[in-house]
C-alpha cells in the first residue's frame, strides 16, 4: 500500500472536521488544506453507503486539486429502525440543524417500531483518493445503546443519546479527549472517527502494510 506524505486536501467545508483532521495528521508531517480554502465545490452525496459517499467527496477533490484528498462520511444506525437514519443522519436534523428534534424523532420512531432493541452504532468512513485514481477506504464503528432522554452537552449531533458499550455515560457526557483521543499506547480509540483514523494511519502513515478494510483501485 502506498504511503501518504507531503500535502493533501481535506474534502470538507466544515471547520470542525478540518481542525480535527489537521490535528490528527500534523504529527505525521502532513500539511492539510481544505477544499473550502481551495474554493472547490462540494459534490452531491448520492452514494448508497458511508464509504461510497466518502469516496465521492474525495474523488471530486483529488481531481479538482491534483493533490491526494481525504474525505469522511458518518452517521448513526439504529437497529430497531433497520439502520436509519444512517447516511441521512445530518438530514434528519433539517436546515436548522436541530439535533434535539432529530433525537426526539428517533425516540418516537423506535417506540413506534415496537422493537425492544435499543442498540445502535456510529459509523465513520474515511476515503483517500490520489489524483492518479488510486483509492483507499476504511470504516470505524462504535456500538452501544440509545439513551432517552438525551444526557450531556458535550460533543455534537446525536452524542447525548448514545452510550458506548462498556461505559455508563453518553458521548454527550464525555470530554473530547475521552471520546476522540488516540491512546498513545496503541490501544483502540473509543469513537468511530478515531477508530477509522487509527486504521488509516496504520495503513497509509505508519509503515505497517497489513491489509485492513477496503483498498484498491
Ligand atoms: P456528515 O458526516 O457530515 O455527513 O454528517 C454526519 C452526521 O452524523 C452528523 O451531522 C451527526 O448528526 C451524525 N454524527 C456523525 N458522527 C457523530 C458523532 O460522533 N456524534 C454525534 N453525531 C454524529
Amino acid at each position: 500500500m502506498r504511503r501518504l506524505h507531503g500535502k493533501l486536501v481535506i474534502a470538507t467545508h466544515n471547520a470542525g472536521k478540518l481542525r480535527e483532521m489537521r490535528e490528527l495528521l500534523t504529527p505525521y508531517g502532513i500539511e492539510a488544506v481544505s477544499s473550502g480554502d481551495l474554493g472547490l465545490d462540494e459534490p452531491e452525496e448520492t452514494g448508497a453507503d458511508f464509504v461510497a459517499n466518502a469516496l465521492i467527496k474525495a474523488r471530486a477533490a483529488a481531481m479538482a486539486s491534483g493533490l491526494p484528498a481525504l474525505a469522511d462520511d458518518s452517521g448513526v444506525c439504529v437497529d430497531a429502525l433497520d439502520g436509519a437514519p444512517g447516511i441521512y443522519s445530518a438530514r434528519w436534523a433539517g436546515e436548522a440543524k436541530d439535533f434535539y428534534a432529530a433525537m426526539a424523532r428517533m425516540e418516537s420512531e423506535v417506540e413506534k417500531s415496537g422493537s425492544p432493541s435499543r442498540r445502535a452504532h456510529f459509523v465513520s468512513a474515511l476515503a483517500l483518493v490520489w489524483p492518479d485514481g488510486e483509492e483507499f477506504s476504511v470504516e470505524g464503528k462504535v456500538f452501544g445503546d440509545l439513551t432517552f432522554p438525551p444526557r450531556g452537552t458535550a460533543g455534537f449531533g446525536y452524542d447525548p443519546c448514545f452510550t458506548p458499550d462498556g461505559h455508563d455515560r453518553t458521548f454527550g457526557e464525555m470530554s473530547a479527549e475521552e471520546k476522540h483521543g488516540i491512546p498513545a499506547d496503541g490501544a483502540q480509540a473509543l469513537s468511530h472517527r478515531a477508530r477509522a483514523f487509527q486504521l488509516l494511519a496504520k495503513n497509509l502513515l505508519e509503515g505497517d502494510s497489513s491489509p485492513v478494510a477496503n483498498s484498491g483501485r
Side-chain angles (χ1 to χ4, degrees), residues 23 41 46 55 75 81 84 90 103 106 108-109 119 125 132 134 137 151 161 171 195 200:
E23 282 169 13
D41 289 335
T46 53
L55 281 167
L81 304 180
M103 289 187 280
M106 184 179 278
S108 102
E109 293 203 10
R119 298 293 293 163
D132 65 8
E134 186 166 343
S137 61
R151 293 199 316 252
C161 72
F171 270 166
R195 288 178 177 178
L200 181 100

Side-chain angles (χ1 to χ4, degrees), residues 14 17 45 50 57 72-76 86-91 93 99 122-123 155-160 171 179-180 191-193:
N14 175 321
K17 280 188 183 175
E45 295 177 28
F50 296 104
K57 291 183 262 191
D72 84 313
D73 198 53
S74 57
V76 60
I87 58 171
Y88 303 108
S89 296
R91 277 169 257 183
F99 283 98
F122 277 109
V123 181
F156 68 102
Y158 298 88
D159 279 342
F171 270 166
K179 181 186 165 198
H180 295 301
S191 85
H192 47 311
R193 211 174 327 279

